[in-house]
Amino acid sequence: MVAPSRIDPAQPARSLILLLGAIMAFGPLSIDMYLPALPAIGRAFGADEAQVQSTLSAYLLGLAVGQLLYGPISDRFGRRRPLLFGLVLFSLASAGCAAVADIDHLIALRVLQALGGAAGMVMVRAVVRDLFDATAAARMYSTLILIMGVAPILAPVLGGQVLMWGDWHWIFAFLALYGVICLVAVVRGLPETMDAEIMRGNRARPLSAAASDYWEVLSTRQFLAYALTGGSGLAALFAYISGSPFVLIELLGVSPGLYGVLFGVNAACFVLGSQVNARMLRYRTPGELLPWTIGAFVIGTFLLVAVCASPLFGVASFIATMAIVLFAVGCSLANTTALALNPFVRQAGAASAMLGTIQLGAGAVSGLIVGVSYNGSALPLGLVVAGCGVLAGVTLRTAPAQT
């Protein structure tokens, strides 16, 4: 095992970047790969659209709750051991999803799957915070988004191909195998990154101190403003993820295979936004870039509503306007994440957990609203995404000035 001291924040090893990116891909894989199968899952279990949407909302809520549990644990016991536990749980729950016999058990196992996947989300953000300052962390998050961006591009395509040759159970079998591969990679290649002295100090504190850590995080103006701004962007993303299968496949008649391709196009726009942001960070700080990228996000959401409510609505116009929205979210997410976590060192795990809970909790709520409000048109999806844009603009204005 490589000693923590051999990780160089100035030039992180390519293998470390790839491993962190692979772990971050758990979320996109677990969500995006089975999207083309949502209508098929509903038919298999005789479930309505709201029940099928619940398999997605249950996963997002499980991620939100799970991160709150892992935050204090990671601050007391480091990043590595909680991550190993989470990977084991994710793999077992994914195997269970592959063998499930009804929609209720699938929803329950998706919660367990999310509780395992939540470890990766908390630990990756905490590892980056352990090693980098705000601007360098924003660059690192942008790099990780590029790596994990392959997942949402390929996952729906892969899921669609699986449905052409088999049924949706094989999608979850693949996720179980992916979890095992990542588990082996972490065992062999990820050292502990948390400072040993800080870890010992946290262990000396009572478990009840976790509540005060979370209160300190939530009472920090910088954290709350940027967490809500980034959470609004992710809420728009998850509203699209939740509603797009029904809009494109059922309303517009797109095949599951083509849906995967179209979803991959928009995922590529999200990744492209993150890489444009990484380039712009060479000349501007994250705080200087955010007003421009959030402004583009707001404009894109209004365009989406206009398209959904007009006679111009169709596959091309829907995908094009969502591409603008997701490009802007991709430009913003790394910056909001880095600025939200930057004030914290001792309780970086708690801050990472709370950030993820806010972001994914917002995503779960937006996805649930889209599912409940679906009325055979795309307008409810457009209105939810536009609401996310307005909220992002409002919360950014509450953030303290950044240079």
Side-chain angles (χ1 to χ4, degrees), residues 224-245:
L224 197 58
Y226 290 117
L228 291 175
T229 302
S232 300
L234 280 182
L237 172 62
F238 283 117
Y240 166 69
I241 289 172
S242 179
S244 61

Side-chain angles (χ1 to χ4, degrees), residues 31 34 53-70 107-108 110-118 121 238 353 356-369:
I31 295 169
Y34 94 126
Q53 293 280 9
S54 294
T55 64
L56 176 58
S57 296
Y59 186 86
L60 295 177
L61 288 172
L63 284 180
V65 173
Q67 290 182 82
L68 286 178
L69 299 176
Y70 286 113
I107 292 172
R110 286 283 283 172
V111 173
L112 289 177
Q113 187 187 38
L115 290 175
M121 303 185 72
F238 283 117
T357 297
I358 290 173
Q359 292 178 339
L360 291 173
V365 171
S366 68
L368 185 61
I369 293 173

Side-chain angles (χ1 to χ4, degrees), residues 220-356:
T220 301
R221 179 185 168 196
Q222 178 172 332
F223 171 85
L224 197 58
Y226 290 117
L228 291 175
T229 302
S232 300
L234 280 182
L237 172 62
F238 283 117
Y240 166 69
I241 289 172
S242 179
S244 61
F246 297 98
V247 170
L248 289 171
I249 296 176
E250 295 195 349
L251 182 60
L252 295 174
V254 169
S255 68
L258 179 57
Y259 169 81
V261 174
L262 294 174
F263 191 93
V265 169
N266 274 347
C269 291
F270 175 77
V271 176
L272 178 61
S274 73
Q275 299 316 293
V276 169
N277 178 68
R279 293 295 182 91
M280 291 190 295
L281 284 169
R282 298 177 181 178
Y283 312 104
R284 296 289 187 271
T285 65
E288 291 171 335
L289 293 175
L290 273 175
W292 296 95
T293 57
I294 294 298
F297 172 43
V298 174
I299 293 172
T301 64
F302 289 165
L303 288 174
L304 178 65
V305 173
V307 164
C308 290
S310 76
L312 297 176
F313 174 70
V315 174
S317 59
F318 177 73
I319 292 298
T321 48
M322 277 307 311
I324 296 172
V325 171
L326 296 179
F327 176 84
V329 173
C331 284
S332 306
L333 187 58
N335 297 334
T336 57
T337 300
L339 289 172
L341 297 182
N342 192 56
F344 308 102
V345 177
R346 181 185 60 77
Q347 65 277 61
S352 173
M354 183 57 69
L355 176 66

Side-chain angles (χ1 to χ4, degrees), residues 92-254:
L92 292 175
S94 298
C97 289
V100 77
D102 59 68
I103 191 70
D104 292 332
H105 284 91
L106 179 60
I107 292 172
L109 283 167
R110 286 283 283 172
V111 173
L112 289 177
Q113 187 187 38
L115 290 175
M121 303 185 72
V122 173
M123 302 312 154
V124 168
R125 287 193 299 263
V127 165
V128 173
R129 178 59 190 89
D130 288 341
L131 298 174
F132 303 99
D133 63 20
T135 300
R139 294 195 193 101
M140 184 66 173
Y141 289 129
S142 294
T143 302
L144 292 176
I145 289 173
L146 172 62
I147 298 170
M148 65 173 281
V150 175
I153 293 173
L154 296 182
V157 178
L158 181 58
Q161 294 302 311
V162 169
L163 293 177
M164 294 177 62
W165 298 99
D167 62 23
W168 57 269
H169 296 85
W170 289 100
I171 293 175
F172 291 103
F174 172 87
L175 291 173
L177 177 61
Y178 183 81
V180 171
I181 292 172
C182 287
L183 174 64
V184 173
V186 169
V187 168
R188 300 189 59 175
L190 184 64
E192 181 57 61
T193 60
M194 187 176 183
D195 182 82
E197 184 175 346
I198 294 176
M199 196 188 311
R200 284 193 295 270
N202 285 342
R203 286 184 186 177
R205 304 173 74 220
L207 286 174
S208 58
S212 63
D213 284 345
Y214 278 131
W215 176 250
E216 182 179 347
V217 169
L218 285 173
S219 60
T220 301
R221 179 185 168 196
Q222 178 172 332
F223 171 85
L224 197 58
Y226 290 117
L228 291 175
T229 302
S232 300
L234 280 182
L237 172 62
F238 283 117
Y240 166 69
I241 289 172
S242 179
S244 61
F246 297 98
V247 170
L248 289 171
I249 296 176
E250 295 195 349
L251 182 60
L252 295 174
V254 169

